[in-house]
Amino acid sequence: MSNTVNFTFSDTIGGYVTAHDRAAGRFTLRTADGREFEISTAGEVSAELLRNLEEPYTDAGGHLGTMLEPGRYLFAHVLYYPEGGTTRIEAKRLVFPGRRPGAYRFEETDWWIRQLESIAGFYRRAQFGDGPIDYTRYRTQLRLGGDKTASHVQETDTISRLVYGMASAFMLTGDDEYLEVAERGTEYLREHMRVVDPEEDVVYWYHGLSVDGDTEKKLFTSEFADDYDAIPMYEQIYALAGPVQTYRVTGDPRIKADADATLRLFEKFFLDREQGGYYSHIDPILFRADHDSLGPNRARKNWNSVGDHAPAYLINLYLATGDETYARMLEYTFDTIVDHFVPDKHSPDRKNSPFVQERFHRDWSHDTTHGWQQDRAVVGHNLKIAWSLMRMHALRPKREYLEAAAEIGELMPAVGSDRQRGGWYDVVERVLGDGQEHHRFAWHDRKAWWQQEQAILAYLILHGTTGRAEFLRDARHAEAFYNAFFLDHDEGAVYFNVLASGTPYLLGTERLKGSHSMSMYHSAELCYLAAVCNNLLIAGRGMDFWFKPDPDGLPGGLLRVSPDLLPAGSVRIAAVELDGEPYSDYDADALTVRLPRGRGRVKVRVRLEPVGKAS
């Protein structure tokens, strides 16, 4: 039996043009791992410039002679023809990420801001139409175009994720409608999903509601298969994501009180005081992490229960308050990650696998038989650990944070990315089998939107902090693939999954724009942080940020406006407006604005500039 490829097929190649023979109608493309392909343009070839959501198609077919110049990065959708003992490759579609070599449209000042505006508009229309913002109409499941399915479930976490996205959209645009969606969603969560336990002095959050007309049925425990009939830590974590981002904008003290009460829940019932870290689940009756009813989730710890605190809400809670209590919890969390999740480069586990560990028993021994994960790596979790560590390094500079993040950044492209087509994979086996040279995919070689987010942010933050050119290269590759293939120019927002080639995968729950896994969080978080990194850390460009607090609710009337955990001294305030008028009571280097009391809510516009770049 022969394994020779002797049939035609189509695929995508992403790479840099190294040569172009215009007369012969062919060019050479070099992939990220250095392989070169000669590609013919002799047949019918369409070509386009990368476009953002709500931008028109821009035809580049008439400019191939000048645009196929050495050094340019592009994507080529090609057909392979085995002929005469070799393979002829013919281009059918070319996508140019920029107008010239070294230029990328996603590095335009407002690219990610405009993308977030479009995504926010999609979800506003999908959930509430053109009428009032009424969360009784909210549904978790949305079809490709935003239509609602027959499901009547409202999941707490997906509402919270929508709220996060809308609050972020307001921070970058100042559009009051986005803030209204965020604030009404926060109120809905507080009124319908929040449980106040005065005896334990904690708050916890229902999984969601099942709505049938005017009847609401509370869903106390998780309905998701992996966590069924338990209270998973990650659901409690993500219940805070949207409200806390809203708190950054409004300073509403009720939100902070809810967050603090939920943190007391974590400390009382999820924290392992003997061996460290946070348990992944507790039972719904006794709030015990070691109860037999939890089955395979009994006395377990994982990335979601330990690491997701930081990006989901805790960093944002610290940014809004400057409270050292939150800084200490962040430090504890990241020390735990470095100690247990990221293997030492000389350890046996690192020699066996380039990937982090993600699941543990109570004593931190590795859990390699749990459910679907077994001994598998979620590629995006490795990358999320890297960019989270870099953010924490800005707050508490530690050699071990920087070294762990940089090592992940160095290792991942070869084992988690697609060096042929671009983009990042989903779940792979952590360890190579005998005779294997490639980590096997757990189920498929599709690429999820949220995994691309983790790659983009990891490499943007790594480059923005270290200045290493290879990290910028990997960031650009990831940004190019995401913007070329995940933006839904027909229906709006972004696709859940694409095939390895970049073609949208539109089957089952992966066809949906709203589900247990997808709301607005990851796409909005990407837009927000990519705008911050590309402008403030890398390109040296200023940005505007918007807030709308009641100064009487802020301790001392002090508004904190740092957009993220950035390297100390890298950004300062250049100008402030209060309700459209210039305002001067601010500390430019501390990134704080002292607001006047007794006049109610004020709309604050803050111009931030990289140090040395202020105009």
Side-chain angles (χ1 to χ4, degrees):
M1 179 181 296
S2 172
N3 286 334
T4 302
V5 176
N6 56 5
F7 53 88
T8 62
F9 62 95
S10 65
D11 207 345
T12 297
I13 305 174
Y16 295 90
V17 177
T18 58
H20 178 213
D21 188 335
R22 188 171 182 175
R26 61 174 179 259
F27 67 98
T28 303
L29 206 60
R30 186 184 70 246
T31 60
D33 55 359
R35 290 171 296 112
E36 292 198 341
F37 294 85
E38 186 177 275
I39 301 172
S40 170
T41 56
E44 294 289 331
V45 182
S46 68
E48 62 191 89
L49 187 67
L50 187 73
R51 56 178 169 143
N52 210 341
L53 289 171
E54 300 189 39
E55 288 186 350
Y57 177 92
T58 303
D59 188 274
H63 299 274
L64 290 186
T66 55
M67 293 189 74
L68 285 173
E69 52 190 317
R72 178 185 294 279
Y73 189 79
L74 61 84
F75 296 104
H77 189 73
V78 301
L79 290 170
Y80 289 78
Y81 294 98
E83 291 175 340
T86 186
T87 301
R88 177 180 172 84
I89 306 174
E90 295 188 1
K92 288 301 169 187
R93 178 189 178 219
L94 303 178
V95 180
F96 295 96
R99 288 183 167 84
R100 60 186 184 278
Y104 299 90
R105 291 213 58 214
F106 46 76
E107 292 178 352
E108 295 171 4
T109 303
D110 62 347
W111 176 275
W112 294 101
I113 299 170
R114 289 185 287 113
Q115 189 170 125
L116 180 52
E117 281 191 282
S118 182
I119 293 169
F122 173 90
Y123 281 100
R124 196 268 189 241
R125 292 188 299 273
Q127 293 293 356
F128 311 113
D130 296 324
I133 298 161
D134 178 3
Y135 271 85
T136 63
R137 300 173 59 188
Y138 178 91
R139 295 296 180 267
T140 296
Q141 290 194 347
L142 297 174
R143 294 191 176 93
L144 187 65
D147 297 328
K148 294 170 184 174
T149 71
S151 171
H152 290 81
V153 172
Q154 300 179 327
E155 288 191 28
T156 298
D157 283 7
T158 56
I159 293 178
S160 181
R161 286 168 168 142
L162 175 73
V163 168
Y164 173 94
M166 294 296 179
S168 301
F170 174 81
M171 290 179 73
L172 291 188
T173 67
D175 190 322
D176 289 326
E177 185 174 37
Y178 301 145
L179 181 57
E180 182 184 1
V181 178
E183 290 193 281
R184 288 183 180 272
T186 298
E187 285 300 310
Y188 194 80
L189 289 170
R190 297 186 77 248
E191 292 173 8
H192 296 267
M193 278 56 167
R194 182 185 58 146
V195 181
V196 179
D197 185 336
E199 291 187 5
E200 296 289 354
D201 191 27
V202 301
V203 159
Y204 57 92
W205 304 83
Y206 289 128
H207 170 79
L209 300 176
S210 179
V211 180
D212 186 5
D214 295 330
T215 303
E216 291 182 0
K217 178 184 176 183
K218 306 284 189 183
L219 303 174
F220 180 30
T221 59
S222 181
E223 299 281 300
F224 192 55
D226 289 356
D227 317 294
Y228 188 74
D229 206 23
I231 301 177
M233 171 66 104
Y234 80 90
E235 288 193 0
Q236 301 299 307
I237 285 173
Y238 278 100
L240 295 177
V244 169
Q245 189 75 334
T246 304
Y247 175 63
R248 288 182 65 186
V249 175
T250 67
D252 185 340
R254 299 175 304 157
I255 299 175
K256 183 177 182 299
D258 287 340
D260 286 338
T262 309
L263 284 170
R264 291 194 293 273
L265 173 82
F266 298 158
E267 298 301 306
K268 284 188 174 185
F269 300 110
F270 285 92
L271 177 65
D272 182 352
R273 296 185 180 277
E274 296 178 359
Q275 303 198 56
Y278 293 91
Y279 292 113
S280 62
H281 298 76
I282 58 175
D283 85 281
I285 305 301
L286 301 177
F287 280 22
R288 293 279 300 271
D290 60 355
H291 196 272
D292 288 340
S293 66
L294 294 172
N297 291 319
R298 179 179 178 272
R300 297 296 201 275
K301 302 165 187 175
N302 60 31
W303 156 252
N304 297 111
S305 69
V306 175
D308 256 348
H309 294 273
Y313 74 90
L314 194 53
I315 287 175
N316 292 323
L317 198 52
Y318 174 78
L319 290 169
T321 64
D323 191 327
E324 276 299 306
T325 302
Y326 308 134
R328 287 192 296 271
M329 183 176 173
L330 281 167
E331 188 172 13
Y332 172 77
T333 297
F334 284 104
D335 286 348
T336 303
I337 290 169
V338 170
D339 288 344
H340 297 291
F341 288 75
V342 184
D344 182 87
K345 64 178 63 177
H346 302 297
S347 70
D349 190 46
R350 171 60 80 220
K351 294 176 182 178
N352 289 332
S353 175
F355 297 101
V356 302
Q357 277 288 345
E358 298 184 39
R359 290 187 182 269
F360 304 88
H361 296 281
R362 167 184 279 165
D363 63 359
W364 293 106
S365 59
H366 299 166
D367 181 1
T368 59
T369 62
H370 188 282
W372 60 266
Q373 185 147 30
Q374 304 295 304
D375 192 18
R376 293 167 178 158
V378 180
V379 172
H381 287 171
N382 288 261
L383 298 161
K384 195 170 189 180
I385 286 173
W387 67 261
S388 296
L389 281 168
M390 291 307 299
R391 296 167 86 189
M392 188 61 197
H393 180 66
L395 178 62
R396 292 279 195 273
K398 291 188 180 183
R399 176 181 52 80
E400 52 266 40
Y401 294 165
L402 179 60
E403 288 182 352
E407 184 187 26
I408 291 171
E410 292 160 1
L411 290 172
M412 283 303 102
V415 295
S417 74
D418 186 339
R419 311 296 273 168
Q420 168 86 6
R421 307 166 189 86
W424 289 76
Y425 293 119
D426 186 8
V427 180
V428 299
E429 301 295 339
R430 286 188 72 251
V431 179
L432 292 171
D434 290 341
Q436 294 178 353
E437 297 180 8
H438 300 277
H439 289 265
R440 293 315 197 242
F441 302 112
W443 308 293
H444 54 70
D445 63 351
R446 299 195 292 274
K447 299 161 184 173
W449 95 105
W450 77 268
Q451 309 252 20
Q452 315 313 305
E453 179 212 1
Q454 311 312 314
I456 292 168
L457 295 182
Y459 289 103
L460 283 177
I461 292 173
L462 280 164
H463 172 71
T465 303
T466 69
R468 290 172 55 175
E470 67 270 28
F471 290 148
L472 178 59
R473 176 202 62 206
D474 288 324
R476 284 172 165 171
H477 291 174
E479 289 175 281
F481 188 87
Y482 179 84
N483 283 287
F485 299 114
F486 277 87
L487 306 188
D488 184 349
H489 295 290
D490 297 315
E491 305 287 357
V494 301
Y495 297 114
F496 188 112
N497 260 1
V498 300
L499 300 176
S501 64
T503 303
Y505 180 81
L506 302 176
L507 296 176
T509 58
E510 293 167 54
R511 178 182 176 83
L512 302 177
K513 293 283 176 60
S515 65
H516 172 80
S517 302
M518 188 183 213
S519 184
M520 191 183 160
Y521 172 71
H522 286 294
S523 56
E525 181 181 54
L526 169 59
C527 290
Y528 179 86
L529 290 175
V532 168
C533 287
N534 272 309
N535 287 314
L536 293 175
L537 279 187
I538 297 174
R541 296 186 297 244
M543 289 182 65
D544 292 332
F545 295 87
W546 301 82
F547 305 86
K548 200 171 184 179
D550 182 342
D552 291 340
L554 298 172
L558 196 68
L559 176 67
R560 299 175 184 276
V561 300
S562 179
D564 193 28
L565 292 179
L566 301 175
S570 60
V571 175
R572 68 192 312 268
I573 297 175
V576 175
E577 288 182 1
L578 201 67
D579 290 332
E581 298 294 328
Y583 187 73
S584 60
D585 192 358
Y586 60 85
D587 186 325
D589 296 317
L591 302 178
T592 58
V593 181
R594 184 78 62 180
L595 298 175
R597 305 279 194 119
R599 59 183 285 181
R601 295 185 72 173
V602 291
K603 191 169 185 178
V604 184
R605 176 173 170 251
V606 179
R607 179 71 176 178
L608 298 181
E609 298 275 4
V611 169
K613 302 287 185 179
S615 56

